[in-house]
Amino acid sequence: MDTFFKWGFFHNLWKHDVAHFNSLLLQRWNELAATILSADSLNRRLDSYAALFEESGAWQREKAKWNNNPVPLNLQEELQYVKDWYAENLSALHHAINQLTGISSPQAEEKEPALYLLNGQRTDRIWGRQLLIGKNRKTILRP
């Protein structure tokens, strides 16, 4: 997961926690993981697809096509395999996102007002005259 944020725009957002990016990422992940990306939601979707697969005759066509396959074809076993795989990977992804953000609660912590350079880098000191963007989104020119 760390390699996803290794380069570019997302790296700067994550590394410097611009505008509480890490908290917002965790919050959005938790929203999706509890709803449309939850194991229960996916399982219902997979069950629906499997029923459609059988009712439409597609499963019988697949079995006929792959009849010489040395691995026996069993739709319910395949369905359970995919459900188990997703549940395991969902848990791993949740753990990785919690580790990546370094926080376990989606609530943003109040911090000192942050200053960011125009390239998005967070700063706490000024070198010469630099244009900064403060927490209130106002541009500041510091000597």
Side-chain angles (χ1 to χ4, degrees):
M1 184 72 163
D2 192 30
T3 57
F4 177 75
F5 289 106
K6 191 172 183 178
W7 306 107
F9 182 69
F10 288 108
H11 174 74
N12 285 332
L13 289 173
W14 166 67
K15 183 177 179 185
H16 303 293
D17 196 18
V18 175
H20 303 293
F21 174 78
N22 294 344
S23 297
L24 294 172
L25 172 68
L26 183 62
Q27 180 179 4
R28 184 63 177 146
W29 167 251
N30 285 333
E31 289 170 4
L32 294 175
T35 56
I36 63 172
L37 295 180
S38 72
D40 288 340
S41 176
L42 182 80
N43 289 345
R44 285 191 301 273
R45 226 172 308 146
L46 288 171
D47 289 336
S48 169
Y49 295 152
L52 183 61
F53 204 49
E54 285 182 321
E55 292 166 7
S56 70
W59 179 243
Q60 288 74 19
R61 288 191 301 276
E62 285 296 306
K63 281 181 73 171
K65 182 176 182 176
W66 300 103
N67 196 22
N68 294 331
N69 187 354
V71 178
L73 300 175
N74 182 312
L75 182 60
Q76 293 307 315
E77 287 177 10
E78 292 296 320
L79 186 61
Q80 191 59 50
Y81 174 81
V82 172
K83 288 177 180 181
D84 292 343
W85 181 91
Y86 186 77
E88 284 179 29
N89 284 283
L90 182 67
S91 176
L93 186 57
H94 187 72
H95 177 73
I97 288 175
N98 279 308
Q99 243 185 348
L100 174 70
T101 60
I103 51 181
S104 58
S105 169
Q107 302 303 318
E109 299 172 13
E110 281 302 315
K111 300 178 181 176
E112 291 290 318
L115 296 174
Y116 298 93
L117 299 173
L118 288 179
N119 67 1
Q121 183 178 2
R122 188 177 183 150
T123 185
D124 58 352
R125 55 186 167 171
I126 311 301
W127 299 95
R129 290 177 58 94
Q130 293 184 348
L131 194 60
L132 302 170
I133 300 174
K135 186 175 181 181
N136 61 1
R137 308 272 188 233
K138 291 186 179 177
T139 304
I140 306 165
L141 184 60
R142 294 268 176 111

